[in-house]
Amino acid sequence: MSTGQQIVCGHCGKINRLPADRSPDAARCGSCHQPIFTGHPIEVDEAGFERHVAHNDIPLLVDVWAPWCGPCRSMAPMFERAAEALEPTVRLLKLNADTAPTISSRLGISGIPTLLLMQGGRELSRISGAMDAQKIVAWTKAGLARS
């Protein structure tokens, strides 16, 4: 019998256990009572990124970006639309490379925007360059199917 999945709240950072027999669509954080899934990416700093990687049981799609990057800015609304299509199966995170240089370096980010598909603390796939929402969703689903 499954005990459910651990999901980190995007609002307060608390770890929640979602029972396997309940739909995650209406789940709320046990601490701050905000919805666990909102259909929007979550902006994280280095500590937040580490917390999500360590404690989310669902796959993570991470957009490594920077505010000065034109392609990053043009892809931002596409990443937002992809969140609507991929949640609650995948958690979408936005990591600013300028404010998270240690993580960006550790992950070997050499160009932005870069998307990382991660699960269980390991990288499943990566791709660099701006994409539209359809391509982001298709690339993510293909990466999950290969894992």
Side-chain angles (χ1 to χ4, degrees):
M1 183 172 161
S2 176
T3 60
Q5 294 181 315
Q6 280 190 162
I7 308 291
V8 177
C9 177
H11 301 282
C12 70
K14 296 294 183 184
I15 302 165
N16 290 267
R17 179 156 302 282
L18 301 183
D21 61 344
R22 287 200 190 146
S23 171
D25 293 323
R28 293 191 167 271
C29 176
S31 181
C32 72
H33 309 291
Q34 295 294 315
I36 298 280
F37 296 103
T38 62
H40 300 285
I42 299 166
E43 292 198 29
V44 293
D45 57 12
E46 289 186 338
F49 174 82
E50 295 290 1
R51 186 163 185 79
H52 280 274
V53 168
H55 298 289
N56 270 315
D57 288 338
I58 63 173
L60 303 173
L61 180 59
V62 184
D63 175 17
V64 183
W65 70 287
W68 50 262
C69 167
C72 298
R73 288 194 316 266
S74 69
M75 191 174 85
M78 301 298 120
F79 195 68
E80 183 85 20
R81 283 190 210 130
E84 294 171 12
L86 292 169
E87 278 194 354
T89 308
V90 178
R91 169 69 88 197
L92 281 76
L93 304 175
K94 291 188 67 69
L95 181 69
N96 183 335
D98 288 346
T99 60
T102 304
I103 302 242
S104 297
S105 176
R106 187 182 83 218
L107 294 172
I109 302 299
S110 59
I112 52 174
T114 293
L115 294 181
L116 303 170
L117 183 59
M118 304 179 78
Q119 186 164 23
R122 68 181 181 88
E123 183 179 317
L124 302 176
S125 189
R126 85 170 46 199
I127 191 167
S128 294
M131 294 190 290
D132 65 28
Q134 262 185 321
K135 288 183 182 174
I136 294 169
V137 171
W139 177 81
T140 303
K141 288 181 177 180
L144 292 173
R146 285 191 303 269
S147 64

